[in-house]
Amino acid sequence: MSAVVVAVLLSLVSAVAYAAAAVAQERLASRSSGTGTLRLLADGAWWRAVALNASAALLHVAALTYGPLTVVQPLGALTLVAAVPLGARLAGRPVSAVEWRGTALTLAGLAAVLVTASGPAPDDVLSVPEALAVAGGTASLIGLLAWPGSRPGLRHASASGIASGVASALTQTVTVAVTDRSGPLLSAQTAVVALLVAAFAAGGLLLSQTAYRDGLGAPLAVVTLTNPLAAAVIGLSLLGERLRDGPAGVLLALTGAGLASWGVLLLSRAAPRPTGAPVDPTHVSPPAVRQRSSVEDHPVVA
C-alpha cells in the first residue's frame, strides 16, 4: 500500500471524527450561546467534543506523516460531507436532493485535486525563522478577523479555518523532523514549532466554538474551505510541494477546487436551523419556502 493511499484512508476516518465533533459543538453552542469560554470548561459535553477533535487531530497528524499538505488538507472537505448523513440519521429523515448534489460535487472536485496533488511523502520542514514568520502573520490576520463587528460567525469561522490550516502545516514540520533519524529527536526547532502547533490548534477550536453559535452550515463550510487554502499556500510556497502535469495540472486542480467549493456551499445551504435557534414570529415565508422548510428544517444539523 502506497504512502498516499495510507494518507487518504487516515484522512477519511479523521473527517468522520471531525464531523461528529462539529455536530457536538454546534449543539452545545446553540443551547449555551450566552455563556463564556470559561463556562464551557465545566461542561462535560464540551470536553467530549474536545476528545472527538483530539482523536480526529491525531489521525490527521498520522495522515500528514504519509502524505503532503496538498493531498491531506483538501480531504478536510469530507467533514461536511460526513456531517450530512450523520445529521440526517439523527434527525430521522432522508438525505435531500440538494445534499446529494453537494456531496457529489464535493467528491468530484476532491478527486480532481487528488489527481494533480498526489506526491511523495513529505520530506521538507520549516526553519524556525520561517515558522515564526508564518505564526506572526497568521496571528495578525486572526486578530483582524476576530475583531468585534458584523457577521462574527463567518469571520470567526474564517479565523478558525486559517488557524487550523496553519497548525496542520506546522504539524507536518514536527512529524518530518521527529521521524527523520539523521538528527536529534527533540531539537529546539521541533520544540518551538510544536508550541506553535498547540497554540494555533487550541485557537482554532475555540474560534470554531464561537462561530457555531449561529448554526453549523455556513460556518463549517467557511472552515472547510479556508483550512486547505491556508495549508496549501504554505505547502506550495515554503515546503517545496508541487502540482503534477504543469499548467494542465494547475488548471485541473483549480477546476476541482471550484467544484468542491460549490458542493460545500450547497451542503451548507441545505443545513437545517440548529437546535434552540430563535424563530422570528413576525416572519412569514412564501408558500414555496414554507414547503421546502417543512422538509429541510430540523432541529439537528446536517
Side-chain angles (χ1 to χ4, degrees):
M1 187 180 295
S2 68
V4 172
V5 173
V6 174
V8 170
L9 292 176
L10 290 171
S11 297
L12 292 177
V13 182
S14 174
V16 173
Y18 273 128
V23 171
Q25 281 186 271
E26 187 277 334
R27 282 182 157 186
L28 178 62
S30 65
R31 71 170 186 261
S32 58
S33 58
T35 61
T37 301
L38 293 179
R39 254 316 183 40
L40 292 173
L41 299 179
D43 195 319
W46 189 77
W47 284 108
R48 286 191 291 273
V50 170
L52 282 170
N53 270 304
S55 301
L58 289 175
L59 291 166
H60 184 70
V61 169
L64 288 172
T65 305
Y66 293 98
L69 286 167
T70 47
V71 170
V72 174
Q73 289 306 117
L75 291 172
L78 294 175
T79 297
L80 192 54
V81 173
V84 170
L86 176 61
R89 180 175 178 81
L90 292 176
R93 65 174 181 84
V95 179
S96 69
V98 174
E99 291 168 337
W100 280 124
R101 286 198 298 272
T103 299
L105 286 169
T106 303
L107 293 177
L110 289 176
V113 171
L114 290 178
V115 167
T116 60
S118 298
D123 57 2
D124 201 359
V125 297
L126 295 174
S127 64
V128 173
E130 288 175 336
L132 292 176
V134 168
T138 303
S140 300
L141 181 56
I142 290 174
L144 291 175
L145 290 171
W147 195 263
S150 60
R151 301 182 70 83
L154 296 183
R155 288 189 293 104
H156 282 98
S158 300
S160 175
I162 292 172
S164 300
V166 171
S168 294
L170 296 173
T171 298
Q172 189 172 83
T173 289
V174 174
T175 57
V176 171
V178 169
T179 55
D180 184 9
R181 301 181 184 275
S182 61
L185 183 62
L186 294 177
S187 62
Q189 176 194 30
T190 305
V192 170
V193 178
L195 289 174
L196 294 176
V197 169
F200 282 114
L205 176 64
L206 295 175
L207 286 166
S208 65
Q209 181 67 58
T210 304
Y212 295 154
R213 287 179 179 176
D214 296 327
L216 183 65
L220 183 55
V222 172
V223 171
T224 301
L225 294 175
T226 54
N227 184 314
L229 178 61
V233 168
I234 296 174
L236 294 173
S237 61
L238 296 176
L239 294 176
E241 297 185 6
R242 295 289 181 268
L243 297 176
R244 298 172 57 187
D245 302 328
V250 173
L251 180 60
L252 181 58
L254 291 175
T255 303
L259 287 175
S261 301
W262 185 11
V264 167
L265 291 177
L266 284 178
L267 290 172
S268 69
R269 291 171 182 172
R273 182 174 54 85
T275 304
V279 178
D280 184 1
T282 63
H283 177 72
V284 179
S285 300
V289 175
R290 283 201 303 269
Q291 182 180 4
R292 185 181 64 180
S293 297
S294 65
V295 178
E296 295 181 352
D297 288 352
H298 293 273
V300 180
V301 297

